[in-house]
Amino acid sequence: MRRKGVNYSRFGYIFSLPFILAFLVFSFYPVLYTAVIGFTDMKGVIPKPVHFLDNPFGNFADLIMHNTSFRISLTNTALIWILNFIPQIGLALLLTAWFTNQRLKVKGQGAFKVLLYMPNIITASTIAVLFNSLFSYPMGPVNSLFESLGWIHAPVNFLQDKTTARGIVAFIQFWMWYGNTMIILIAGVMGINPALFEAASIDGANGFQTFMRITLPSLKTIMLYTLITSMIGGLQLFDIPQLFLFGGPDDATLTTSVFIYGQAFKGSYMFNKAAAASMIMFAIAAVLAGLLFYLMRDRDAARLKKAQKRMKKAAQAAARGM
């Protein structure tokens, strides 16, 4: 926009300059530096000459082929994310359908939403201490409750069993994030044209049919966003496994982020291995994100685009024939 010889568009670049500088210094440079370290022999806290490896991908190959802990961390990360995301998205969808159902008109929605979202704003350290106390051994609220109900006859050390420890971590993640997912989905539903719901009601569709035929298809973009952000968050899972059980017992809750932290800041400070593991996780996240974008693409739009291309080529061929 120009007014009296002044080009106001340059102010947009000026206002965005602080963000660009902050991004370059605190995000882009660390990522680039991490990628470079992955190809070197850099380790230890005492500064010493750093050399590029004769085999540039030696650190990556060693992690994938020979490092058992890294492979275990990959399995744990995938398993914990799947165990928490499936019930998370299921419950979030059910709550979304309940809150947005115009026939039910649930009263006190604001209070319900605040209560359901509340776990997401509690700090991870607080939650770790809370659940450690709940499942403590031999005296703990969960053990006492199960004994009073007759489900167990002696206290169970939940935190020393690999299956239950992994399940508790997955439950904590589910409990912390289902409210956030619900809020995002409700916001998506609020953006759907109300005329679609009115037409469905006039046609005699019940609540389930309306949700499955109108709400869910209209939420495809929001669902994709939820999947991508949850998947990236799951791959970066660090705070709860680290604060709750330090990756134990017996590496049962060792996620890739906890593994990377241990490689970089414990023992021999193998920054090269930590950087290589970080870049492997970056590649996995990029591949999975691309796969999700492909699977959830708008097929109708793609078919229409292909049909338009075919028609254009046919028109060009007909014009050349004339």
Side-chain angles (χ1 to χ4, degrees):
M1 177 181 178
R2 291 180 180 274
R3 184 178 180 183
K4 295 182 180 180
V6 178
N7 184 7
Y8 289 98
S9 62
R10 73 174 184 271
F11 291 108
Y13 296 103
I14 294 173
F15 289 140
S16 62
L17 188 60
F19 166 77
I20 294 172
L21 291 176
F23 173 78
L24 291 175
V25 174
F26 296 107
S27 294
F28 182 73
Y29 172 73
V31 170
L32 190 63
Y33 187 60
T34 300
V36 173
I37 291 174
F39 299 99
T40 68
D41 60 355
M42 182 179 182
K43 58 183 176 181
V45 293
I46 301 175
K48 59 182 180 180
V50 178
H51 305 94
F52 283 93
L53 300 175
D54 295 332
N55 177 12
F57 297 97
N59 291 323
F60 300 88
D62 183 62
L63 284 172
I64 295 172
M65 302 299 295
H66 307 296
N67 197 310
T68 306
S69 294
F70 180 68
R71 293 199 298 269
I72 290 174
S73 71
L74 283 175
T75 304
N76 289 338
T77 302
L79 187 59
I80 290 173
W81 177 69
I82 292 171
L83 287 176
N84 92 80
F85 181 73
I86 292 176
Q88 178 191 141
I89 193 67
L91 182 58
L93 284 170
L94 285 174
L95 291 171
T96 299
W98 185 47
F99 284 128
T100 58
N101 193 316
Q102 296 300 317
R103 296 176 181 176
L104 294 177
K105 294 182 180 179
V106 180
K107 295 181 180 180
Q109 289 192 26
F112 278 117
K113 291 173 184 176
V114 169
L115 290 173
L116 295 173
Y117 185 77
M118 192 70 71
N120 191 251
I121 62 177
I122 303 174
T123 60
S125 56
T126 304
I127 292 176
V129 172
L130 170 64
F131 276 84
N132 213 307
S133 300
L134 287 174
F135 290 92
S136 58
Y137 174 86
M139 296 296 293
V142 174
N143 268 312
S144 299
L145 176 63
F146 286 179
E147 282 188 280
S148 64
L149 294 174
W151 294 354
I152 57 176
H153 301 290
V156 177
N157 196 344
F158 294 101
L159 303 183
Q160 290 302 312
D161 183 85
K162 295 172 69 173
T163 303
T164 55
R166 202 179 286 127
I168 292 170
V169 172
F171 174 79
I172 293 173
Q173 289 299 117
F174 153 75
W175 179 67
M176 287 179 63
W177 289 98
Y178 80 93
N180 179 76
T181 304
M182 176 198 69
I183 295 296
I184 293 172
L185 294 176
I186 290 175
V189 172
M190 299 301 290
I192 300 173
N193 188 349
L196 296 174
F197 297 108
E198 293 174 5
S201 178
I202 292 171
D203 290 339
N206 57 36
F208 179 78
Q209 291 172 331
T210 301
F211 187 79
M212 295 301 295
R213 300 295 181 87
I214 296 177
T215 306
L216 271 184
S218 301
L219 286 177
K220 181 179 288 186
T221 304
I222 302 297
M223 290 289 289
L224 177 61
Y225 168 80
T226 304
L227 278 168
I228 295 293
T229 53
S230 177
M231 182 266 296
I232 293 174
L235 293 177
Q236 296 176 342
L237 181 59
F238 172 77
D239 47 9
I240 295 300
Q242 174 66 18
L243 296 170
F244 184 47
L245 292 171
F246 304 101
D250 194 22
D251 291 344
T253 59
L254 179 71
T255 61
T256 51
S257 294
V258 176
F259 172 83
I260 291 168
Y261 173 80
Q263 292 291 302
F265 302 110
K266 292 181 180 179
S268 56
Y269 296 91
M270 294 184 288
F271 299 117
N272 55 341
K273 300 289 186 183
S278 299
M279 297 314 297
I280 290 173
M281 295 310 298
F282 174 79
I284 291 174
V287 170
L288 290 177
L291 183 62
L292 287 174
F293 271 107
Y294 176 77
L295 292 175
M296 298 188 69
R297 70 191 186 281
D298 191 342
R299 291 178 172 81
D300 293 333
R303 293 192 193 99
L304 179 60
K305 192 173 181 180
K306 288 180 181 179
Q308 290 174 342
K309 286 183 179 179
R310 287 196 296 267
M311 292 175 64
K312 186 177 180 180
K313 288 181 181 179
Q316 290 174 349
R320 286 194 297 268
M322 293 177 63

